Amino acid sequence: MNTFKVLVKIIFIAALAYLLQNVFAWWVTVLAAAMINFIIYSKGPSSFISGFLGIGFLWFFTALLTDINTDSVLTEKVAAIFSLPNATLLVVVTAIIGGIAGGFGGLSGSTLRNWVMPQPNY
């Protein structure tokens, strides 16, 4: 696994998803991870990791900024709705859910690339 390639994909995924999620619905972040992993090809585990970390970091920092900007009022109320003990756990759960969605989006983009343009087996 090429670490630099994964790092570049994480940055591109987070940047594209940030731009798209401000205009479209939340699920466009999955498409951003798929598009970047389609363009910058790598095998399955690397694609999942880059999608997971790209969207996970983005959603973590977005939720954290929302928590800070609302003085934890909004996140505490939402945490109470989901029966979570505190707002910090809500921020972490949000990042994990976003990361899983982004990971599967990245894996889908890599699989689609491999299906459309198969790589040689040497």
Side-chain angles (χ1 to χ4, degrees):
M1 173 167 51
N2 188 347
T3 309
F4 181 73
K5 190 178 195 181
V6 172
L7 184 61
V8 168
K9 287 186 346 181
I10 289 170
I11 293 169
F12 281 154
I13 289 169
L16 181 62
Y18 176 75
L19 293 173
L20 292 176
Q21 80 177 2
N22 288 327
V23 178
F24 300 107
W26 70 269
W27 50 265
V28 79
T29 58
V30 175
L31 295 178
M35 288 187 328
I36 296 299
N37 277 293
F38 183 85
I39 294 168
I40 305 172
Y41 179 75
S42 60
K43 296 200 185 267
S46 173
S47 299
F48 184 85
I49 290 169
S50 65
F52 183 90
L53 293 177
I55 303 303
F57 284 146
L58 174 67
W59 280 24
F60 176 79
F61 289 116
T62 302
L64 187 63
L65 285 175
T66 302
D67 182 52
I68 291 169
N69 289 335
T70 62
D71 294 326
S72 298
V73 173
L74 178 64
T75 48
E76 286 178 6
K77 288 183 179 185
V78 174
I81 290 171
F82 289 112
S83 301
L84 296 174
N86 56 28
T88 306
L89 187 58
L90 178 67
V91 172
V92 172
V93 168
T94 300
I96 291 171
I97 290 172
I100 291 171
F104 282 121
L107 192 58
S108 297
S110 173
T111 304
L112 181 64
R113 163 83 181 248
N114 198 27
W115 183 63
V116 172
M117 296 179 272
Q119 300 296 314
N121 291 332
Y122 51 84

